[in-house]
Amino acid sequence: MATRVLLGAIKKRTVSFPAFPGPSIYRHGSTLVVVEHEGGVIKPPSLSALAAATCLPDPDSSVSVLLAGSGSSLHQAASHAASCHPSISKVLVADSDKLKNPLAEPWAKLVHLVQQSGGYSHIIAAANSFGKNVMPRVAALLDVSPITDVTGISDSNTFVRPIYAGNALCTVRYTGANPCILTIRSTSFPVPQKSVDSKSNEASISQVDLSTFDEDLSKSRYISQTSQDNERPDLGNARVVVTGGRALKSAENFKLIEEIAKRLGGAVGATRAAVDAGFVPNDLQVGQTGKIVAPELYMAFGVSGAIQHLAGMRDSKVIVAVNNDADAPIFQIADYGLVGDLFEVIPKLLEKLPEKK
Amino acid sequence: MKIMVAIKRVVDYAVKIRVKPDKTGVVTQNVKMSMNPFCEIALEEALRIREAGLASEVVAVSMGSSHSVDTLRTGLAMGADRGIHVEYSASLYPLSVAKILRKLIEIEKPGLLILGKQAIDDDCNQTGQMIAGLLNWPQATFASKVVLDKEKQVATVDREVDDGIETVCLNLPAVITTDLRLNQPRYATLPNIMKAKSKPIKKFTPEELNVEIKSDLEIVQVTEPPKRKAGVIVSSVDELFDKLKHEANVI
């Protein structure tokens, strides 16, 4: 119970950033946040990692940001990072072709290199596919245990993380040497809508000295990435998520889910069954092994509510379930349940929902 | 080429777990245990590579209490050639598991190490990445497709990443961790379960492997997640729409 109260307090604090006047003393060696960028801006999960870094309850801690890649978008992203948050004191830029792609080998070496010169007490990244891939490798290079998918920060060494598909919360204390390596669950560290007067205290931008960065790139090579064309909002950050399960029966029928999502301005999600059946691509899977979401409104159509699926959406604010099986486990966590045939319910719902322009 | 597969014994994925009243952990006594689903997929992939003639032997490794041997037997019944059991009764964190694996790899010298992407109990998603880091081997996590080229000694792997599929190419030896869509694991047949009883399982302890188990993490407490308040069952679409609009204010 105490943890829960504490957690609540932490969550609240994240939402309303204290308006720090900016770090007056730069303490060498504090928190390093490893961020990803795209199109000249910091990606939303990395912004959550920054929000988590500012939750570490060390009054004179300062936050450094590390970003890497090459080209003009890197430098644009660096200036975005510099004015992201008042408690960021330093932006480190690693400009190298070797870091253009998110390969774990060069990235882990880079973070290791930066840690050796910076002596940080904490290194934080988002628990997305990038952070999960890179940070444990970094931890091994530094001979420390990482803590993944952190949902709450109690103090600078004590963290809360879900285990057993979110059916238990584990509070762990890190007792090892510096750095303490964390990946954080983005939905637990919301990014404030507008950061406080950012222009007045821009952080300094400096280049990482890569003269000793000798990562041999022959061991792994990036070939390609096929991403789904998605005009819908990003699943991880959407305000509304509409999910379909196996009961949709076909990819064609899944368009009904997409239509509801479109009209609500939301993102489309899916269960493992729907992905395995080929209705939608894998990157829409919500659950223990897919994406974790916590939207304002989560609507589940034809989703039974297996433990593994609930792990990915149980922290949603309002959960709506439509299923023809009144005993489906999803009804146990739904705020509003409707027992009925989704092929009858969805058209009626669409009638009520106005077309979005 | 030899393939090593690491498998873990965990509480069965379908079990609704209970938190111990003293908050020290989760009840595992008298609870159904099984092979971690991702480990099954890892083993299946190794077996398919061997069956395609690209590997000569599949070695399954498990660590933990003496019960882990049951899980190893399941792996042998699926088709692994032999097993290695590293006995340790207390809980092992991924860093220790990775260090033990490093020693076993020095002994066995496999050309490929396959693991599940995460164990469904601790949900860490770390071990594969850590062992790759310790060995300075390349890694391909969250694999949904693996193509081996024996001639060039490379593995081309499709990875499930946040916004689609990423393809990487690794020089062997390498570490691969499996995602759910890599394959459909086979069932062990009764004759194979019988045969598995005579397959060899080598035993080690961390001391014999000269691995010091020290932990830099301690569990303060394990608690239940906050309960959601009971919901309501509405009778019609109209009522649902009305509630969402006027009660929950979400549309």
Side-chain angles (χ1 to χ4, degrees), chain A residues 192-238:
Chain A
Q193 284 304 312
K194 193 81 198 95
S195 47
V196 269
D197 184 29
S198 47
K199 283 282 167 255
S200 59
N201 43 46
E202 257 189 46
S204 66
I205 299 178
S206 56
Q207 300 283 328
V208 178
D209 176 13
L210 293 175
S211 58
T212 56
F213 185 67
D214 52 355
E215 180 59 18
D216 172 16
L217 282 190
S218 65
K219 279 191 176 174
S220 67
R221 292 164 297 282
Y222 179 90
I223 308 291
S224 63
Q225 161 132 21
T226 50
S227 43
Q228 318 296 338
D229 242 359
N230 208 341
E231 72 268 23
R232 300 251 62 79
D234 178 46
L235 185 54
N237 302 299

mmCIF file of all heavy atoms in Angstrom, chain A residues 192-238:
data_model
loop_
_atom_site.group_PDB
_atom_site.id
_atom_site.type_symbol
_atom_site.label_atom_id
_atom_site.label_comp_id
_atom_site.label_asym_id
_atom_site.label_seq_id
_atom_site.Cartn_x
_atom_site.Cartn_y
_atom_site.Cartn_z
ATOM 1 N N PRO A 192 5.264 16.376 -19.860
ATOM 2 C CA PRO A 192 4.377 17.532 -19.713
ATOM 3 C C PRO A 192 4.112 18.152 -21.087
ATOM 4 O O PRO A 192 4.988 18.177 -21.948
ATOM 5 C CB PRO A 192 5.160 18.472 -18.812
ATOM 6 C CG PRO A 192 6.572 18.021 -18.890
ATOM 7 C CD PRO A 192 6.559 16.573 -19.218
ATOM 8 N N GLN A 193 2.913 18.646 -21.248
ATOM 9 C CA GLN A 193 2.513 19.209 -22.539
ATOM 10 C C GLN A 193 3.476 20.282 -23.029
ATOM 11 O O GLN A 193 3.943 20.258 -24.139
ATOM 12 C CB GLN A 193 1.099 19.794 -22.434
ATOM 13 C CG GLN A 193 0.000 18.745 -22.423
ATOM 14 C CD GLN A 193 0.040 17.834 -23.634
ATOM 15 O OE1 GLN A 193 0.152 18.294 -24.752
ATOM 16 N NE2 GLN A 193 -0.045 16.515 -23.418
ATOM 17 N N LYS A 194 3.752 21.234 -22.136
ATOM 18 C CA LYS A 194 4.642 22.325 -22.531
ATOM 19 C C LYS A 194 5.643 22.517 -21.420
ATOM 20 O O LYS A 194 5.283 22.749 -20.278
ATOM 21 C CB LYS A 194 3.815 23.592 -22.731
ATOM 22 C CG LYS A 194 4.552 24.714 -23.428
ATOM 23 C CD LYS A 194 4.572 24.539 -24.950
ATOM 24 C CE LYS A 194 5.657 25.402 -25.602
ATOM 25 N NZ LYS A 194 6.903 24.701 -25.841
ATOM 26 N N SER A 195 6.907 22.396 -21.757
ATOM 27 C CA SER A 195 7.890 22.580 -20.699
ATOM 28 C C SER A 195 8.011 24.062 -20.379
ATOM 29 O O SER A 195 7.790 24.915 -21.226
ATOM 30 C CB SER A 195 9.238 21.991 -21.107
ATOM 31 O OG SER A 195 9.550 22.409 -22.404
ATOM 32 N N VAL A 196 8.376 24.318 -19.137
ATOM 33 C CA VAL A 196 8.466 25.710 -18.666
ATOM 34 C C VAL A 196 9.543 26.482 -19.418
ATOM 35 O O VAL A 196 10.602 25.936 -19.714
ATOM 36 C CB VAL A 196 8.760 25.752 -17.155
ATOM 37 C CG1 VAL A 196 7.472 25.788 -16.372
ATOM 38 C CG2 VAL A 196 9.645 24.591 -16.737
ATOM 39 N N ASP A 197 9.231 27.693 -19.664
ATOM 40 C CA ASP A 197 10.109 28.663 -20.333
ATOM 41 C C ASP A 197 11.489 28.112 -20.669
ATOM 42 O O ASP A 197 12.456 28.282 -19.926
ATOM 43 C CB ASP A 197 10.222 29.902 -19.425
ATOM 44 C CG ASP A 197 11.048 30.998 -20.093
ATOM 45 O OD1 ASP A 197 11.042 31.052 -21.343
ATOM 46 O OD2 ASP A 197 11.690 31.775 -19.368
ATOM 47 N N SER A 198 11.560 27.456 -21.780
ATOM 48 C CA SER A 198 12.750 26.666 -22.063
ATOM 49 C C SER A 198 13.904 27.501 -22.599
ATOM 50 O O SER A 198 15.054 27.257 -22.286
ATOM 51 C CB SER A 198 12.401 25.569 -23.051
ATOM 52 O OG SER A 198 11.661 26.107 -24.121
ATOM 53 N N LYS A 199 13.589 28.510 -23.352
ATOM 54 C CA LYS A 199 14.638 29.257 -24.062
ATOM 55 C C LYS A 199 15.695 29.850 -23.142
ATOM 56 O O LYS A 199 16.858 29.944 -23.503
ATOM 57 C CB LYS A 199 14.008 30.369 -24.912
ATOM 58 C CG LYS A 199 13.376 29.829 -26.200
ATOM 59 C CD LYS A 199 14.436 29.525 -27.248
ATOM 60 C CE LYS A 199 13.893 28.699 -28.406
ATOM 61 N NZ LYS A 199 14.298 27.301 -28.378
ATOM 62 N N SER A 200 15.234 30.248 -21.922
ATOM 63 C CA SER A 200 16.134 30.994 -21.049
ATOM 64 C C SER A 200 17.322 30.169 -20.554
ATOM 65 O O SER A 200 18.349 30.718 -20.209
ATOM 66 C CB SER A 200 15.366 31.564 -19.859
ATOM 67 O OG SER A 200 14.787 30.489 -19.156
ATOM 68 N N ASN A 201 17.170 28.883 -20.487
ATOM 69 C CA ASN A 201 18.309 28.117 -19.977
ATOM 70 C C ASN A 201 18.654 26.946 -20.880
ATOM 71 O O ASN A 201 18.437 25.798 -20.531
ATOM 72 C CB ASN A 201 18.063 27.656 -18.551
ATOM 73 C CG ASN A 201 16.655 27.136 -18.379
ATOM 74 O OD1 ASN A 201 16.180 26.372 -19.211
ATOM 75 N ND2 ASN A 201 15.992 27.552 -17.331
ATOM 76 N N GLU A 202 19.149 27.262 -22.018
ATOM 77 C CA GLU A 202 19.525 26.204 -22.934
ATOM 78 C C GLU A 202 20.800 25.522 -22.478
ATOM 79 O O GLU A 202 21.748 26.163 -22.024
ATOM 80 C CB GLU A 202 19.702 26.773 -24.340
ATOM 81 C CG GLU A 202 18.498 26.434 -25.193
ATOM 82 C CD GLU A 202 18.702 26.770 -26.642
ATOM 83 O OE1 GLU A 202 19.773 26.434 -27.167
ATOM 84 O OE2 GLU A 202 17.782 27.343 -27.231
ATOM 85 N N ALA A 203 20.817 24.214 -22.600
ATOM 86 C CA ALA A 203 21.977 23.448 -22.174
ATOM 87 C C ALA A 203 23.088 23.571 -23.217
ATOM 88 O O ALA A 203 22.828 23.865 -24.379
ATOM 89 C CB ALA A 203 21.585 21.986 -22.008
ATOM 90 N N SER A 204 24.300 23.333 -22.759
ATOM 91 C CA SER A 204 25.421 23.405 -23.694
ATOM 92 C C SER A 204 25.478 22.129 -24.524
ATOM 93 O O SER A 204 25.141 21.044 -24.057
ATOM 94 C CB SER A 204 26.724 23.573 -22.919
ATOM 95 O OG SER A 204 26.964 22.410 -22.159
ATOM 96 N N ILE A 205 25.894 22.272 -25.767
ATOM 97 C CA ILE A 205 26.004 21.123 -26.656
ATOM 98 C C ILE A 205 27.482 20.855 -26.904
ATOM 99 O O ILE A 205 28.232 21.765 -27.258
ATOM 100 C CB ILE A 205 25.288 21.394 -28.001
ATOM 101 C CG1 ILE A 205 23.802 21.659 -27.757
ATOM 102 C CG2 ILE A 205 25.489 20.222 -28.965
ATOM 103 C CD1 ILE A 205 23.005 21.991 -28.983
ATOM 104 N N SER A 206 27.897 19.622 -26.662
ATOM 105 C CA SER A 206 29.300 19.327 -26.972
ATOM 106 C C SER A 206 29.424 18.000 -27.706
ATOM 107 O O SER A 206 28.549 17.134 -27.607
ATOM 108 C CB SER A 206 30.142 19.319 -25.694
ATOM 109 O OG SER A 206 29.590 18.399 -24.779
ATOM 110 N N GLN A 207 30.479 17.867 -28.444
ATOM 111 C CA GLN A 207 30.712 16.657 -29.226
ATOM 112 C C GLN A 207 31.412 15.609 -28.375
ATOM 113 O O GLN A 207 32.291 15.929 -27.581
ATOM 114 C CB GLN A 207 31.617 16.975 -30.434
ATOM 115 C CG GLN A 207 31.049 18.012 -31.385
ATOM 116 C CD GLN A 207 29.965 17.461 -32.286
ATOM 117 O OE1 GLN A 207 30.003 16.279 -32.643
ATOM 118 N NE2 GLN A 207 28.999 18.283 -32.649
ATOM 119 N N VAL A 208 31.009 14.368 -28.564
ATOM 120 C CA VAL A 208 31.699 13.276 -27.893
ATOM 121 C C VAL A 208 32.994 13.007 -28.653
ATOM 122 O O VAL A 208 32.989 12.939 -29.891
ATOM 123 C CB VAL A 208 30.825 12.001 -27.884
ATOM 124 C CG1 VAL A 208 31.558 10.839 -27.233
ATOM 125 C CG2 VAL A 208 29.512 12.254 -27.164
ATOM 126 N N ASP A 209 34.074 12.873 -27.909
ATOM 127 C CA ASP A 209 35.357 12.556 -28.546
ATOM 128 C C ASP A 209 35.340 11.083 -28.978
ATOM 129 O O ASP A 209 35.359 10.185 -28.141
ATOM 130 C CB ASP A 209 36.488 12.822 -27.537
ATOM 131 C CG ASP A 209 37.844 12.409 -28.095
ATOM 132 O OD1 ASP A 209 37.928 12.169 -29.330
ATOM 133 O OD2 ASP A 209 38.799 12.319 -27.303
ATOM 134 N N LEU A 210 35.291 10.888 -30.281
ATOM 135 C CA LEU A 210 35.172 9.518 -30.789
ATOM 136 C C LEU A 210 36.512 8.962 -31.271
ATOM 137 O O LEU A 210 36.554 7.948 -31.963
ATOM 138 C CB LEU A 210 34.148 9.471 -31.933
ATOM 139 C CG LEU A 210 32.688 9.756 -31.536
ATOM 140 C CD1 LEU A 210 31.801 9.802 -32.759
ATOM 141 C CD2 LEU A 210 32.166 8.702 -30.561
ATOM 142 N N SER A 211 37.607 9.628 -30.876
ATOM 143 C CA SER A 211 38.910 9.181 -31.392
ATOM 144 C C SER A 211 39.258 7.771 -30.923
ATOM 145 O O SER A 211 39.991 7.056 -31.580
ATOM 146 C CB SER A 211 40.002 10.170 -30.983
ATOM 147 O OG SER A 211 40.015 10.274 -29.575
ATOM 148 N N THR A 212 38.710 7.378 -29.762
ATOM 149 C CA THR A 212 38.994 6.019 -29.285
ATOM 150 C C THR A 212 37.848 5.060 -29.594
ATOM 151 O O THR A 212 37.848 3.923 -29.147
ATOM 152 C CB THR A 212 39.240 6.006 -27.757
ATOM 153 O OG1 THR A 212 38.100 6.584 -27.127
ATOM 154 C CG2 THR A 212 40.473 6.779 -27.386
ATOM 155 N N PHE A 213 36.878 5.557 -30.346
ATOM 156 C CA PHE A 213 35.708 4.722 -30.672
ATOM 157 C C PHE A 213 36.064 3.849 -31.866
ATOM 158 O O PHE A 213 36.012 4.274 -33.010
ATOM 159 C CB PHE A 213 34.518 5.623 -30.987
ATOM 160 C CG PHE A 213 33.234 4.874 -31.227
ATOM 161 C CD1 PHE A 213 32.619 4.176 -30.201
ATOM 162 C CD2 PHE A 213 32.640 4.862 -32.479
ATOM 163 C CE1 PHE A 213 31.435 3.489 -30.417
ATOM 164 C CE2 PHE A 213 31.450 4.176 -32.704
ATOM 165 C CZ PHE A 213 30.858 3.494 -31.668
ATOM 166 N N ASP A 214 36.463 2.626 -31.548
ATOM 167 C CA ASP A 214 36.998 1.779 -32.615
ATOM 168 C C ASP A 214 36.064 0.623 -32.925
ATOM 169 O O ASP A 214 36.505 -0.457 -33.278
ATOM 170 C CB ASP A 214 38.366 1.238 -32.195
ATOM 171 C CG ASP A 214 38.298 0.572 -30.826
ATOM 172 O OD1 ASP A 214 37.223 0.633 -30.196
ATOM 173 O OD2 ASP A 214 39.312 0.007 -30.382
ATOM 174 N N GLU A 215 34.766 0.848 -32.738
ATOM 175 C CA GLU A 215 33.846 -0.270 -32.928
ATOM 176 C C GLU A 215 33.994 -0.866 -34.322
ATOM 177 O O GLU A 215 33.843 -0.203 -35.336
ATOM 178 C CB GLU A 215 32.406 0.195 -32.685
ATOM 179 C CG GLU A 215 31.344 -0.868 -32.853
ATOM 180 C CD GLU A 215 31.509 -2.076 -31.938
ATOM 181 O OE1 GLU A 215 32.233 -1.969 -30.929
ATOM 182 O OE2 GLU A 215 30.937 -3.131 -32.255
ATOM 183 N N ASP A 216 34.319 -2.127 -34.323
ATOM 184 C CA ASP A 216 34.477 -2.863 -35.568
ATOM 185 C C ASP A 216 33.076 -3.201 -36.081
ATOM 186 O O ASP A 216 32.332 -3.927 -35.441
ATOM 187 C CB ASP A 216 35.290 -4.132 -35.266
ATOM 188 C CG ASP A 216 35.346 -5.048 -36.467
ATOM 189 O OD1 ASP A 216 35.032 -4.590 -37.574
ATOM 190 O OD2 ASP A 216 35.706 -6.223 -36.271
ATOM 191 N N LEU A 217 32.733 -2.650 -37.208
ATOM 192 C CA LEU A 217 31.367 -2.808 -37.696
ATOM 193 C C LEU A 217 31.145 -4.068 -38.517
ATOM 194 O O LEU A 217 30.058 -4.317 -38.995
ATOM 195 C CB LEU A 217 30.968 -1.587 -38.529
ATOM 196 C CG LEU A 217 30.596 -0.355 -37.730
ATOM 197 C CD1 LEU A 217 30.008 0.686 -38.636
ATOM 198 C CD2 LEU A 217 29.606 -0.694 -36.628
ATOM 199 N N SER A 218 32.181 -4.853 -38.671
ATOM 200 C CA SER A 218 32.007 -6.011 -39.546
ATOM 201 C C SER A 218 31.173 -7.109 -38.881
ATOM 202 O O SER A 218 30.629 -7.965 -39.544
ATOM 203 C CB SER A 218 33.361 -6.562 -39.955
ATOM 204 O OG SER A 218 34.017 -7.046 -38.805
ATOM 205 N N LYS A 219 31.072 -7.048 -37.549
ATOM 206 C CA LYS A 219 30.366 -8.132 -36.858
ATOM 207 C C LYS A 219 28.863 -8.114 -37.086
ATOM 208 O O LYS A 219 28.208 -9.136 -37.086
ATOM 209 C CB LYS A 219 30.634 -8.050 -35.356
ATOM 210 C CG LYS A 219 31.961 -8.674 -34.994
ATOM 211 C CD LYS A 219 32.103 -8.823 -33.505
ATOM 212 C CE LYS A 219 33.397 -9.536 -33.184
ATOM 213 N NZ LYS A 219 33.641 -9.565 -31.751
ATOM 214 N N SER A 220 28.299 -6.921 -37.202
ATOM 215 C CA SER A 220 26.876 -6.844 -37.470
ATOM 216 C C SER A 220 26.605 -5.709 -38.433
ATOM 217 O O SER A 220 27.253 -4.668 -38.378
ATOM 218 C CB SER A 220 26.099 -6.633 -36.173
ATOM 219 O OG SER A 220 26.385 -5.360 -35.654
ATOM 220 N N ARG A 221 25.696 -5.944 -39.319
ATOM 221 C CA ARG A 221 25.366 -4.920 -40.317
ATOM 222 C C ARG A 221 23.864 -4.714 -40.363
ATOM 223 O O ARG A 221 23.090 -5.659 -40.251
ATOM 224 C CB ARG A 221 25.869 -5.359 -41.704
ATOM 225 C CG ARG A 221 27.381 -5.394 -41.819
ATOM 226 C CD ARG A 221 27.833 -6.177 -43.032
ATOM 227 N NE ARG A 221 27.449 -7.579 -42.985
ATOM 228 C CZ ARG A 221 28.079 -8.520 -42.257
ATOM 229 N NH1 ARG A 221 29.114 -8.195 -41.505
ATOM 230 N NH2 ARG A 221 27.658 -9.761 -42.271
ATOM 231 N N TYR A 222 23.506 -3.470 -40.557
ATOM 232 C CA TYR A 222 22.093 -3.116 -40.691
ATOM 233 C C TYR A 222 21.722 -3.293 -42.153
ATOM 234 O O TYR A 222 22.407 -2.777 -43.034
ATOM 235 C CB TYR A 222 21.936 -1.663 -40.248
ATOM 236 C CG TYR A 222 20.562 -1.111 -40.341
ATOM 237 C CD1 TYR A 222 19.678 -1.208 -39.275
ATOM 238 C CD2 TYR A 222 20.128 -0.463 -41.497
ATOM 239 C CE1 TYR A 222 18.409 -0.675 -39.348
ATOM 240 C CE2 TYR A 222 18.863 0.068 -41.582
ATOM 241 C CZ TYR A 222 18.010 -0.041 -40.502
ATOM 242 O OH TYR A 222 16.758 0.497 -40.583
ATOM 243 N N ILE A 223 20.675 -4.035 -42.416
ATOM 244 C CA ILE A 223 20.295 -4.270 -43.810
ATOM 245 C C ILE A 223 19.155 -3.336 -44.209
ATOM 246 O O ILE A 223 19.288 -2.543 -45.124
ATOM 247 C CB ILE A 223 19.869 -5.743 -44.040
ATOM 248 C CG1 ILE A 223 20.937 -6.706 -43.513
ATOM 249 C CG2 ILE A 223 19.552 -5.995 -45.509
ATOM 250 C CD1 ILE A 223 22.229 -6.742 -44.274
ATOM 251 N N SER A 224 18.047 -3.429 -43.511
ATOM 252 C CA SER A 224 16.906 -2.613 -43.905
ATOM 253 C C SER A 224 15.875 -2.559 -42.801
ATOM 254 O O SER A 224 15.949 -3.303 -41.821
ATOM 255 C CB SER A 224 16.241 -3.206 -45.150
ATOM 256 O OG SER A 224 15.750 -4.496 -44.834
ATOM 257 N N GLN A 225 14.921 -1.692 -42.983
ATOM 258 C CA GLN A 225 13.786 -1.657 -42.078
ATOM 259 C C GLN A 225 12.526 -1.471 -42.897
ATOM 260 O O GLN A 225 12.444 -0.572 -43.733
ATOM 261 C CB GLN A 225 13.940 -0.491 -41.085
ATOM 262 C CG GLN A 225 12.618 -0.111 -40.443
ATOM 263 C CD GLN A 225 12.712 0.026 -38.943
ATOM 264 O OE1 GLN A 225 13.776 0.222 -38.396
ATOM 265 N NE2 GLN A 225 11.586 -0.097 -38.286
ATOM 266 N N THR A 226 11.564 -2.330 -42.673
ATOM 267 C CA THR A 226 10.278 -2.132 -43.317
ATOM 268 C C THR A 226 9.322 -1.641 -42.246
ATOM 269 O O THR A 226 9.049 -2.348 -41.284
ATOM 270 C CB THR A 226 9.727 -3.444 -43.890
ATOM 271 O OG1 THR A 226 9.791 -4.439 -42.879
ATOM 272 C CG2 THR A 226 10.504 -3.902 -45.095
ATOM 273 N N SER A 227 8.876 -0.402 -42.402
ATOM 274 C CA SER A 227 7.926 0.071 -41.396
ATOM 275 C C SER A 227 6.565 0.205 -42.037
ATOM 276 O O SER A 227 6.433 0.445 -43.227
ATOM 277 C CB SER A 227 8.396 1.383 -40.788
ATOM 278 O OG SER A 227 8.876 2.205 -41.801
ATOM 279 N N GLN A 228 5.578 0.020 -41.220
ATOM 280 C CA GLN A 228 4.218 0.110 -41.712
ATOM 281 C C GLN A 228 3.874 1.578 -41.896
ATOM 282 O O GLN A 228 4.176 2.406 -41.053
ATOM 283 C CB GLN A 228 3.256 -0.517 -40.685
ATOM 284 C CG GLN A 228 3.759 -1.802 -40.082
ATOM 285 C CD GLN A 228 3.907 -2.899 -41.115
ATOM 286 O OE1 GLN A 228 3.281 -2.853 -42.169
ATOM 287 N NE2 GLN A 228 4.752 -3.865 -40.839
ATOM 288 N N ASP A 229 3.258 1.843 -43.025
ATOM 289 C CA ASP A 229 2.771 3.190 -43.264
ATOM 290 C C ASP A 229 1.606 3.416 -42.321
ATOM 291 O O ASP A 229 0.613 2.705 -42.382
ATOM 292 C CB ASP A 229 2.267 3.292 -44.706
ATOM 293 C CG ASP A 229 3.069 4.303 -45.479
ATOM 294 O OD1 ASP A 229 3.973 4.898 -44.865
ATOM 295 O OD2 ASP A 229 2.793 4.488 -46.665
ATOM 296 N N ASN A 230 1.738 4.364 -41.449
ATOM 297 C CA ASN A 230 0.693 4.512 -40.451
ATOM 298 C C ASN A 230 0.320 5.968 -40.272
ATOM 299 O O ASN A 230 1.085 6.752 -39.734
ATOM 300 C CB ASN A 230 1.179 3.913 -39.122
ATOM 301 C CG ASN A 230 0.023 3.410 -38.311
ATOM 302 O OD1 ASN A 230 -1.117 3.801 -38.558
ATOM 303 N ND2 ASN A 230 0.305 2.577 -37.344
ATOM 304 N N GLU A 231 -0.851 6.317 -40.751
ATOM 305 C CA GLU A 231 -1.254 7.719 -40.595
ATOM 306 C C GLU A 231 -1.977 7.922 -39.267
ATOM 307 O O GLU A 231 -2.264 9.021 -38.863
ATOM 308 C CB GLU A 231 -2.097 8.193 -41.791
ATOM 309 C CG GLU A 231 -3.504 7.656 -41.877
ATOM 310 C CD GLU A 231 -3.590 6.382 -42.702
ATOM 311 O OE1 GLU A 231 -2.569 5.678 -42.853
ATOM 312 O OE2 GLU A 231 -4.676 6.067 -43.180
ATOM 313 N N ARG A 232 -2.277 6.810 -38.583
ATOM 314 C CA ARG A 232 -2.915 6.893 -37.266
ATOM 315 C C ARG A 232 -1.889 7.344 -36.224
ATOM 316 O O ARG A 232 -0.691 7.216 -36.443
ATOM 317 C CB ARG A 232 -3.436 5.518 -36.839
ATOM 318 C CG ARG A 232 -4.469 4.897 -37.755
ATOM 319 C CD ARG A 232 -5.841 4.887 -37.119
ATOM 320 N NE ARG A 232 -6.293 6.251 -36.866
ATOM 321 C CZ ARG A 232 -6.794 7.036 -37.804
ATOM 322 N NH1 ARG A 232 -6.916 6.629 -39.022
ATOM 323 N NH2 ARG A 232 -7.172 8.263 -37.510
ATOM 324 N N PRO A 233 -2.372 7.890 -35.086
ATOM 325 C CA PRO A 233 -1.414 8.261 -34.042
ATOM 326 C C PRO A 233 -0.628 7.043 -33.552
ATOM 327 O O PRO A 233 -1.091 5.916 -33.662
ATOM 328 C CB PRO A 233 -2.296 8.820 -32.927
ATOM 329 C CG PRO A 233 -3.696 8.677 -33.332
ATOM 330 C CD PRO A 233 -3.762 8.176 -34.730
ATOM 331 N N ASP A 234 0.545 7.324 -33.024
ATOM 332 C CA ASP A 234 1.425 6.279 -32.524
ATOM 333 C C ASP A 234 0.749 5.524 -31.370
ATOM 334 O O ASP A 234 0.238 6.128 -30.433
ATOM 335 C CB ASP A 234 2.721 6.949 -32.052
ATOM 336 C CG ASP A 234 3.675 5.943 -31.462
ATOM 337 O OD1 ASP A 234 3.845 4.889 -32.088
ATOM 338 O OD2 ASP A 234 4.219 6.213 -30.381
ATOM 339 N N LEU A 235 0.760 4.202 -31.465
ATOM 340 C CA LEU A 235 0.071 3.348 -30.493
ATOM 341 C C LEU A 235 0.490 3.647 -29.047
ATOM 342 O O LEU A 235 -0.340 3.726 -28.149
ATOM 343 C CB LEU A 235 0.342 1.882 -30.861
ATOM 344 C CG LEU A 235 -0.347 0.773 -30.078
ATOM 345 C CD1 LEU A 235 -1.851 0.958 -30.057
ATOM 346 C CD2 LEU A 235 0.006 -0.580 -30.689
ATOM 347 N N GLY A 236 1.784 3.815 -28.849
ATOM 348 C CA GLY A 236 2.298 4.009 -27.500
ATOM 349 C C GLY A 236 1.847 5.309 -26.840
ATOM 350 O O GLY A 236 1.819 5.412 -25.621
ATOM 351 N N ASN A 237 1.496 6.310 -27.636
ATOM 352 C CA ASN A 237 1.184 7.625 -27.070
ATOM 353 C C ASN A 237 -0.233 8.089 -27.341
ATOM 354 O O ASN A 237 -0.585 9.211 -27.004
ATOM 355 C CB ASN A 237 2.142 8.672 -27.643
ATOM 356 C CG ASN A 237 3.569 8.321 -27.377
ATOM 357 O OD1 ASN A 237 3.979 8.216 -26.232
ATOM 358 N ND2 ASN A 237 4.334 8.071 -28.428
ATOM 359 N N ALA A 238 -1.042 7.250 -27.994
ATOM 360 C CA ALA A 238 -2.373 7.702 -28.393
ATOM 361 C C ALA A 238 -3.275 7.908 -27.182
ATOM 362 O O ALA A 238 -3.144 7.229 -26.162
ATOM 363 C CB ALA A 238 -2.995 6.688 -29.342
#
